[in-house]
């Protein structure tokens, strides 16, 4: 267990926002978490679990003990008739893990390529893109309890996955550290192509049954064309969740804004495109202080250089008020605001 003091968190959040951790502990395995729990000072202190920092907005220094999860490793656990079970350490880079599975001939995660962050953060957010959510490929995960120090495995029903949501944002928030995650990759594999941009790729190329690697390549290209690279422009990806409304609410909005982009959901509800609404309110490319709205995708807020967390949140609140004023919809941020 490595304990460090006065650590700048600017390199550890993709927005590049300034903040300092009074105490940071690097977690390389379950034993490190148990040492923190048993520690005379750290054990009783409030904790904040930090993965890849791709889904947080830091608005202040961190008085909590920051647990920086760096558990590594990836392996094929089991080969079943109907699925491959693969496992990765919570500190593994998510995209690198997806590319590794494809290189091993283990398809199923290709639609989630190039999503920033770590494997351990993926279940917290129930990440999703292009027709696939993490819960669709989830088998189980290991956590260490921050009160007892016990390691336990959790199944999907305990994780309570929802749209960009899980129990780790609610009942389990701050109570445990995810150390390993296992995924169930269905056999036989079938590409998931029921998303407009992927349907366009099929039409353009004439490839009706693309390989998993080709699907990943298409998605990487699509994401790079409209989303900024955090290494070049600080951001946390999509800043707002796409709101889900009733069919009646959707018809009401369409009556006022016939062009609004919307997606019918299997349960009868309708998902609205938050980026379209933000763009319709005239925010694309606008700046508040040193925080701005990305020119190519209104759903992404960016650090123009030297932004602080309060500037990002001032911009976010102004966008929320605009969208509420026009559409009667309250947008909900995706990242965790600290």
């Amino acid at each position: 267990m490595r304990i460090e003091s006065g650590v700048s968190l600017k390199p550890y959040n993709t927005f590049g926002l300034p903040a300092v951790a009074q105490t940071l502990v690097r977690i390389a395995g379950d034993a490190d978490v148990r040492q923190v729990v048993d520690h005379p000072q750290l054990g009783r202190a409030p904790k904040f679990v930090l993965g890849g920092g791709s889904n947080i907005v830091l608005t202040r220094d961190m008085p909590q003990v920051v647990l920086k999860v760096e558990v590594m490793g990836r392996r094929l656990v089991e080969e079943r008739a109907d699925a491959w079970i693969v496992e990765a350490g919570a500190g593994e880079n998510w995209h690198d893990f997806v590319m590794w599975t494809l290189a091993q001939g283990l398809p199923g995660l290709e639609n989630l390529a190039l999503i920033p962050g770590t494997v351990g953060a993926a279940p917290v957010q129930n990440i999703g893109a292009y027709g696939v959510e993490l819960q669709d490929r989830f088998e189980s995960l290991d956590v260490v309890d921050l009160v007892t120090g016990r390691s336990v495995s959790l199944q999907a029903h305990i994780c309570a996955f929802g749209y960009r949501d899980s129990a780790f944002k609610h009942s389990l928030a701050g109570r445990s550290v995810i150390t390993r995650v296992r995924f169930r990759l269905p056999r036989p594999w079938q590409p998931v192509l029921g998303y407009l941009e992927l349907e366009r790729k099929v039409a353009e190329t004439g490839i009706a049954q693309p390989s998993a690697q080709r699907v990943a390549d298409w998605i990487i290209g699509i994401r790079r064309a409209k989303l900024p690279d955090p290494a070049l422009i600080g951001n946390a990806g999509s800043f707002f969740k796409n709101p889900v409304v009733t069919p009646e609410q959707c018809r009401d909005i369409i009556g006022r804004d016939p062009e609004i982009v919307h997606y019918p959901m299997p349960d009868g509800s309708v998902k609205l495109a938050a980026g379209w609404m933000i763009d319709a309110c005239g925010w694309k490319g606008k700046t508040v202080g040193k925080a701005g709205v990305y020119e190519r995708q209104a759903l992404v807020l960016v650090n123009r250089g030297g932004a602080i967390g309060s500037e990002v949140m001032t911009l976010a609140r102004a966008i929320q008020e605009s969208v509420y004023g026009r559409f009667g919809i309250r947008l909900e941020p995706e990242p965790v605001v600290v």
Side-chain angles (χ1 to χ4, degrees), residues 35-52:
Q35 279 188 272
V36 170
V37 172
D38 293 339
H39 194 279
Q41 284 83 43
L42 303 182
R44 292 193 299 272
K47 320 277 193 310
F48 183 85
V49 180
L50 178 63

Side-chain angles (χ1 to χ4, degrees), residues 25-40:
V25 182
R26 297 184 186 274
I27 302 296
D30 293 30
D32 289 342
V33 184
R34 281 192 284 274
Q35 279 188 272
V36 170
V37 172
D38 293 339
H39 194 279

